[in-house]
Amino acid sequence: MFISSFPLLAHLKQHLVRTIFSMLVIATALLHVSGVMPLGFVNKLENFSYDFRLNLLMPGDIDKRIVIVDIDEKSLAEQGRWPWGRDKLATMVNVLFDHYHINTLGFDVVFAEKDESSGLKALQQIQQSYLHDDAGLVQAIERLKPRLDYDRIFAD
């Protein structure tokens, strides 16, 4: 009986080694996916496979319906320094939709902060600090507000 139990022990030992190895692989993968222990070679492999898949499935010709509007040095020389006011961007968007009849527009720009380039905030501060009793100024600012709220104009 003692001799016949050796194959069983060998089998249990082999099973235990496989289980521990599998658990280590799974734990390593989970640590990588969660960002606790990023593995550079996995990222490189993933990037390579992504590029390979895109190149394999990409059409062979250029889609003439897609146009990239780039803000380049010539544009900056003509329009002024970046960032442009939202009013200028709103005008550009309107031209693209109304004149060129585009279907879809995307921006690769972050609009993180309010656009205060119109001077509306300064007018309101002057009115509140110095001329708070001037009803004519309050009415004038209220009439100007829709034309000076560049964020609203751009959003519309």
Coordinates of all heavy atoms in Angstrom, one line a residue, residues 71 76 80-84 89 109 111:
I71 N -5.2 73.9 -36.3 CA -4.8 75.2 -35.9 C -3.2 75.2 -36.0 O -2.6 74.7 -35.1 CB -5.3 75.5 -34.5 CG1 -6.8 75.5 -34.5 CG2 -4.8 76.9 -34.1 CD1 -7.4 75.5 -33.1
L76 N -2.5 80.9 -36.5 CA -2.1 81.7 -35.4 C -1.7 83.1 -35.8 O -2.0 84.1 -35.2 CB -1.1 81.0 -34.5 CG -1.5 79.7 -33.8 CD1 -0.3 79.1 -33.2 CD2 -2.6 80.0 -32.8
G80 N -4.4 85.3 -34.4 CA -3.9 85.7 -33.1 C -3.6 84.5 -32.3 O -3.8 83.4 -32.6
R81 N -3.0 84.8 -31.1 CA -2.5 83.8 -30.2 C -3.6 82.8 -29.7 O -4.8 83.2 -29.7 CB -1.8 84.4 -29.0 CG -2.7 85.1 -28.1 CD -1.9 85.6 -26.9 NE -2.8 86.4 -26.0 CZ -3.5 85.8 -25.1 NH1 -3.6 84.5 -24.9 NH2 -4.3 86.5 -24.3
W82 N -3.2 81.6 -29.3 CA -4.1 80.6 -28.8 C -4.0 80.8 -27.3 O -3.0 81.1 -26.7 CB -3.6 79.2 -29.2 CG -4.5 78.1 -28.7 CD1 -4.3 77.4 -27.6 CD2 -5.7 77.7 -29.3 NE1 -5.3 76.5 -27.4 CE2 -6.2 76.7 -28.5 CE3 -6.4 78.1 -30.4 CZ2 -7.4 76.1 -28.7 CZ3 -7.6 77.5 -30.6 CH2 -8.1 76.5 -29.8
P83 N -5.1 80.6 -26.6 CA -6.4 80.1 -27.0 C -7.2 81.2 -27.6 O -7.2 82.4 -27.1 CB -7.0 79.5 -25.7 CG -6.4 80.3 -24.6 CD -5.0 80.7 -25.1
W84 N -8.0 80.9 -28.6 CA -8.9 81.8 -29.2 C -10.2 81.9 -28.3 O -10.5 81.0 -27.6 CB -9.3 81.4 -30.6 CG -8.2 81.4 -31.6 CD1 -7.0 82.2 -31.5 CD2 -8.1 80.7 -32.8 NE1 -6.2 81.9 -32.6 CE2 -6.9 81.0 -33.4 CE3 -8.9 79.8 -33.4 CZ2 -6.4 80.4 -34.6 CZ3 -8.5 79.2 -34.6 CH2 -7.3 79.5 -35.2
L89 N -14.3 80.7 -32.0 CA -14.6 79.3 -32.2 C -16.0 79.1 -32.7 O -16.3 78.3 -33.5 CB -14.2 78.5 -31.0 CG -12.7 78.4 -30.6 CD1 -12.5 77.7 -29.3 CD2 -11.9 77.8 -31.7
V109 N -9.6 69.4 -28.0 CA -9.2 70.6 -27.2 C -10.0 70.4 -25.9 O -11.1 70.0 -25.9 CB -9.5 71.9 -27.9 CG1 -9.2 73.1 -27.0 CG2 -8.8 72.0 -29.2
F111 N -11.8 72.5 -23.0 CA -12.3 73.8 -22.6 C -12.6 73.7 -21.1 O -13.8 73.6 -20.7 CB -13.6 74.1 -23.4 CG -13.4 74.1 -24.9 CD1 -13.8 73.0 -25.7 CD2 -12.8 75.2 -25.5 CE1 -13.6 73.0 -27.0 CE2 -12.6 75.2 -26.9 CZ -13.0 74.1 -27.6

